[in-house]
Amino acid sequence: MHHFDLTHEPPTSQELVAALTNLKNRRGKLMIRSCISDGIHLLLLLLLYFGNILSGRSVLVLIALSVVVAIVLATATRDSLLFSDLIAIAVSIIAVVAASTLLLTISMSQSWGAGIVAGVIAGTIVTSGTILGRALKKVMFAIEQLNPIPTDDPILAEVSALCQRYPELRNYREQAKQNLRPHLTYGELFAMREWHLRHINRHSEQKT
C-alpha cells in the first residue's frame, strides 16, 4: 500500500501512476485467485451432488451460509487484526464447520460422513473468502486513496483549512503543485488528518 509521508517531497504524477498500476495488477491477481478458489469449491460440491452424497438443497444451503459468513468476516473486521480478532475469526470458522455439519445431518437428513465433508468444505470457503476478501478490500481502499480530489468536492475546504493551520502541510501542497499536481489525493488528505490528530494529542500531553 502507498504511504504518504508529509515530511518528504510529494510524489510526482508518474510515481502515483506507477503505484496505481501496481495496485491494479495486484487486484487482478487477487480476483484470479478468488475465482480459482471459488471454482475448486464449486467443483467439490458438484462432485458431492452428482455422486448422490449431498442433495441440491443441501449444496445451496451450504454455499449461502459459508458465503455470507465469509463476506461478513472480510468486510467487518479491522485492517490491523489484533490477537482477539484472530481468535474471533477462528471461532467463527469452527462454528461454520459445526453448524453446517449439524444442519445437514440433523435438519436435512444427510449422512454424517457427507455432513462432515460438507462442513469442512464450508470452513475452507470461509477461510479463503476471508483472506482474499480482506486483501482485496485493502487494495481497493488503497486505489481509492490514490485518486485525486476533484475541484467540486466539498472536502477541499478541509484540505485548505489544514494547510492554513500547519505551515508544513501548506509547503507540502505547494511542492505538489510544483510537481504539476494541482490536486492532492484522498490518501494525502487522510495523512493530513492523521498529522492533525497527532498534533492535537501531542498538545494535550504537553498540557497534562
Side-chain angles (χ1 to χ4, degrees):
M1 307 307 165
H2 193 84
H3 174 69
F4 291 100
D5 189 347
L6 302 180
T7 61
H8 291 75
E9 184 176 347
T12 63
S13 298
Q14 292 79 6
E15 290 171 337
L16 289 179
V17 169
L20 185 60
T21 300
N22 290 334
L23 287 172
K24 288 182 177 180
N25 290 337
R26 186 175 179 184
R27 179 184 62 184
K29 292 178 181 178
L30 287 172
M31 294 180 70
I32 291 174
R33 288 176 57 188
S34 179
C35 291
I36 293 174
S37 176
D38 293 341
I40 292 174
H41 288 119
L42 181 59
L43 178 61
L44 291 174
L45 292 175
L46 287 176
L47 289 175
L48 293 177
Y49 171 70
F50 287 110
N52 294 321
I53 299 175
L54 285 179
S55 65
R57 185 163 167 260
S58 299
V59 170
L60 293 177
V61 170
L62 187 70
I63 292 175
L65 176 63
S66 55
V67 168
V68 168
V69 175
I71 291 175
V72 171
L73 292 178
T75 57
T77 51
R78 69 189 91 194
D79 290 338
S80 299
L81 294 178
L82 302 177
F83 181 72
S84 58
D85 298 322
L86 296 175
I87 294 297
I89 291 175
V91 170
S92 298
I93 294 173
I94 295 173
V96 168
V97 174
S100 300
T101 301
L102 294 175
L103 180 64
L104 267 60
T105 54
I106 297 177
S107 299
M108 308 186 74
S109 302
Q110 303 294 300
S111 66
W112 277 102
I116 293 173
V117 172
V120 171
I121 293 176
T124 59
I125 291 175
V126 173
T127 303
S128 61
T130 301
I131 294 173
L132 293 174
R134 281 178 49 80
L136 187 59
K137 182 182 70 171
K138 289 182 179 180
V139 170
M140 295 298 293
F141 181 70
I143 290 175
E144 291 180 1
Q145 283 190 316
L146 293 181
N147 290 329
I149 304 175
T151 55
D152 58 347
D153 195 327
I155 209 170
L156 282 176
E158 181 181 357
V159 175
S160 299
L162 290 171
C163 291
Q164 289 177 2
R165 181 167 183 175
Y166 302 105
E168 299 89 345
L169 302 186
R170 184 166 59 252
N171 292 335
Y172 181 92
R173 188 179 189 183
E174 291 300 323
Q175 288 179 348
K177 291 180 179 179
Q178 293 174 6
N179 288 341
L180 302 180
R181 281 208 302 120
H183 305 295
L184 296 179
T185 64
Y186 286 100
E188 287 167 316
L189 170 60
F190 296 151
M192 288 182 176
R193 287 175 176 172
E194 292 177 358
W195 176 292
H196 175 60
L197 290 175
R198 286 197 302 269
H199 180 83
I200 292 178
N201 292 335
R202 193 181 307 117
H203 186 67
S204 300
E205 291 174 357
Q206 291 175 352
K207 281 187 175 182
T208 57

